[in-house]
Amino acid sequence: MSDDPDVNDVIRFLREREIVHFQRFGEAVRLAKEKMDQKNVYFTNPAFDK
């Protein structure tokens, strides 16, 4: 929506950074689940998830 190349560059950078943050958060959640599974702690408790 903008014709200004400086504004477009900043928006492009922020969008790419947000995608990377989303990916890293997903990796962190996966690692946390794996770590809890090693200790026999469950990410979700079936008794509470009815």
Side-chain angles (χ1 to χ4, degrees), residues 17-35:
R17 188 176 69 169
E18 183 63 27
I19 291 169
V20 170
H21 286 157
F22 179 79
Q23 292 170 338
R24 295 300 172 261
F25 180 75
E27 290 173 7
V29 169
R30 182 182 53 79
L31 290 172
K33 286 181 183 179
E34 290 174 2
K35 188 74 166 179

Side-chain angles (χ1 to χ4, degrees), residues 37-50:
D37 286 344
Q38 289 175 354
K39 294 180 180 180
N40 201 20
V41 176
Y42 298 100
F43 185 68
T44 57
N45 185 341
F48 293 126
D49 294 335
K50 291 182 180 177

